[in-house]
Structures are given as structure tokens and as C-alpha cells.
Amino acid sequence: MITTKDVTFSARELQMKGRLFFPENFDDSYQHEVIVVNHPTSSDFNQTSGKIYATKLAEHGFLALAYDSPYQGQSEGEPHNSELPAARTEGVMFAIDFLVTLPYVDAERVGVMGICGGGGFTINAAKIDHRIKAVAGVAAANVGDVYKLTFGPDNASLIKTLEDMGRQRTIEARGGEVKHIPVLPASQKAREAAGINDVDIEQAIDYYLTPRGQDPYAPNQFVYTSLAQDIAFDAAALADRLLTQPLELIAGGIPGGFGSYRFSYEIYQKAASEHKELTIIDGVTHYELYDQPKAVDPAIAKLVEFFGKYL
């Protein structure tokens, strides 16, 4: 039976919260390989990153850390619920900073993985932090593409949105209320009323806004102005030069609007990694990879094989 330990660690002036997952019969006198698990966009470690992936990796013998990114979940950072690519990327690195101080962690055997937007941010971290020896993405998405489509797709619409975000920052700088916007429509009925028929949005609502995956630390909202940085973000940038570590990408074979199927192909083709693999699980959607056994079980089997080989 695995055990867990809640931890707090520093991200410069902020404190981050996470949970360590220890395999059965863990021996703290030995230095172990470790896997950092990065949560999806709008999520927290109580959901798929900790409840599913870190737990199952520990059940297969790995030490794992799931955590909440700065400005999200139980970690510190104001205004809270900001989605900041730099913070999400460096959150991976702060997690590694913490882990390498632990006497039972082998600093030369650190792996990372991320789910959905967390996958894109984790890939971004691996490009610049080569303490990471192996990197994996499960339904990895590039939030830059997602938000360019959300607020675009044409350049004029993006500029109009950025101008509006600038006006809102001025309001907040002058003491006005911080503006939050919902990540998802509040219900399937609201989604239908808005004319949104995308499978990823439909299943995201079913995951995040129902007892299936709902959590109080993932309140379905983002700070509006923070998304300006996501519009300009590209998780694939420089992957052909900097992403050299072994790479495993796992995606569902049913494409949706969050683009994890498309992004997985893009990163696979672009990455400079000598050892890279793209695994498409047929008949599976993006959100089934969050918690549904028909998707999660083959994904975990592939991750165990990958990290077992390269860590």
C-alpha cells in the first residue's frame, strides 16, 4: 500500500503546496528516482495529477510528487487563479529544487510529466532545465494555441482582446476589482446555449464541474488579464534545439478542441530528442485520459515502461 505526505516548499517569495507519493515498503536510506507530476490548466493536485497519475506511478514503485502551481490551488500567489506560463513552467523547476534537497532522492534520476496544459508547460520546463532526464506528456496541450483560438482566431480579434486586457490592468492598478472569467461554461446547458459542441469542452464540464472531478481548489475561473501571457506563449518554441531528453507523448485518438492530439504530433516531430515516442490510444478522448480506466491503464503502462527505461 502506498503512503503520502503533504509538503510545503519555496518558490522564491511564495510557498507551494504538494503531496509526495511513496511506493510500498519505501526505503529512505536509498536514493530513488523521482517523477514530478504537473496538473492540467485550471486544475490542482487533488484531481488527476495526484489522485490518478502520481498515485498509480507510486503503485508501480516510483516516488512521485504532485503539486499546485504558483498562483493556483493551495499554493500561494496573488491574484490567485492566474494562469502564467512563466510561473507554471518554473513551478516544475521549483518542485525539482525541493526534491533534490531530500536525502532519499537521486538528483541524477529526475523525470517529469504533465497532463493537458500542464504537459505543455512541463515540456517548456524540460527545454531549459536539464536536470530533467526524461519527460512525458499525457494529453499534452499548448495553451498558447488554445487561447489564441479562444480569443481569435484572427489577429484583429486578438489585438482587440489584448487592448481590453490592458484597460483592465489599468483599472486594477488604480485599485479596481480584479476581473475573473470562467474557464468553462457553468453547465452542459450553458454550453449548448452558447452553441459549443466540442467534445473536449463537453467532457471538461463533466470532469471539473461534477462530483467526478470537482474540487474546491479548482474553482473554474482565471484572472482575465493573466491570459494575455498565454496568448503569446508557445510550448513548441525551440523544441528542435533544446528538447533533447527522452520524450514520451501519449494522446487519445479522438481529437478535440484543446488540441492535445495535434500538439502531440507537433512536439514529436519537432523535438530534438534522440529517443522519442508518440503513443496514440485509439478510441479515447482527451478527458478520458484524466480518469477513465480504458485510457488511464494503457497510459500508465507506457509511462512505467518509459520512466523505468530512462530513469
Side-chain angles (χ1 to χ4, degrees), residues 66-220:
Y67 66 93
D68 286 345
S69 294
Y71 303 93
Q72 297 180 7
Q74 298 178 66
S75 291
E76 292 181 344
E78 295 297 334
H80 213 60
N81 300 313
S82 295
E83 180 73 320
L84 302 169
R88 288 296 310 269
T89 297
E90 199 168 18
V92 180
M93 300 158 75
F94 287 131
I96 296 171
D97 291 343
F98 163 67
L99 289 168
V100 299
T101 68
L102 302 178
Y104 46 79
V105 167
D106 186 342
E108 297 301 317
R109 292 193 292 163
V110 176
V112 298
M113 64 159 289
I115 305 134
C116 187
F121 294 127
T122 299
I123 287 167
N124 200 48
K127 291 183 295 187
I128 56 176
D129 191 338
H130 282 256
R131 296 177 299 177
I132 296 169
K133 303 305 180 186
V135 56
V138 174
N142 185 352
V143 298
D145 288 346
V146 172
Y147 282 104
K148 278 187 276 290
L149 287 171
T150 299
F151 294 114
D154 60 280
N155 290 344
S157 296
L158 290 176
I159 297 301
K160 183 177 180 181
T161 296
L162 292 169
E163 289 172 345
D164 186 64
M165 289 176 171
R167 287 189 291 270
Q168 181 60 33
R169 281 188 71 111
T170 295
I171 291 170
E172 293 171 18
R174 293 171 174 170
E177 185 177 354
V178 174
K179 180 179 179 178
H180 292 79
I181 63 170
V183 181
L184 299 165
S187 66
Q188 298 293 1
K189 185 176 181 179
R191 174 188 62 80
E192 292 169 2
I196 301 171
N197 298 311
D198 180 72
V199 64
D200 282 354
I201 299 295
E202 179 181 358
Q203 293 190 359
I205 292 168
D206 188 60
Y207 181 81
Y208 282 113
L209 303 182
T210 74
R212 174 183 165 194
Q214 197 168 33
D215 187 82
Y217 293 107
N220 188 41

Side-chain angles (χ1 to χ4, degrees), residues 37-48:
V37 186
N38 193 359
H39 63 74
T41 295
S42 79
S43 188
D44 68 75
F45 73 70
N46 288 328
Q47 296 171 318
T48 181

Side-chain angles (χ1 to χ4, degrees), residues 203-250:
Q203 293 190 359
I205 292 168
D206 188 60
Y207 181 81
Y208 282 113
L209 303 182
T210 74
R212 174 183 165 194
Q214 197 168 33
D215 187 82
Y217 293 107
N220 188 41
Q221 60 177 254
F222 275 148
V223 174
Y224 173 59
T225 59
S226 73
L227 300 179
Q229 297 184 42
D230 295 279
I231 290 173
F233 175 71
D234 182 5
L238 296 176
D240 56 334
R241 299 177 63 184
L242 304 180
L243 186 59
T244 60
Q245 301 97 318
L247 174 67
E248 177 66 44
L249 296 160
I250 301 170

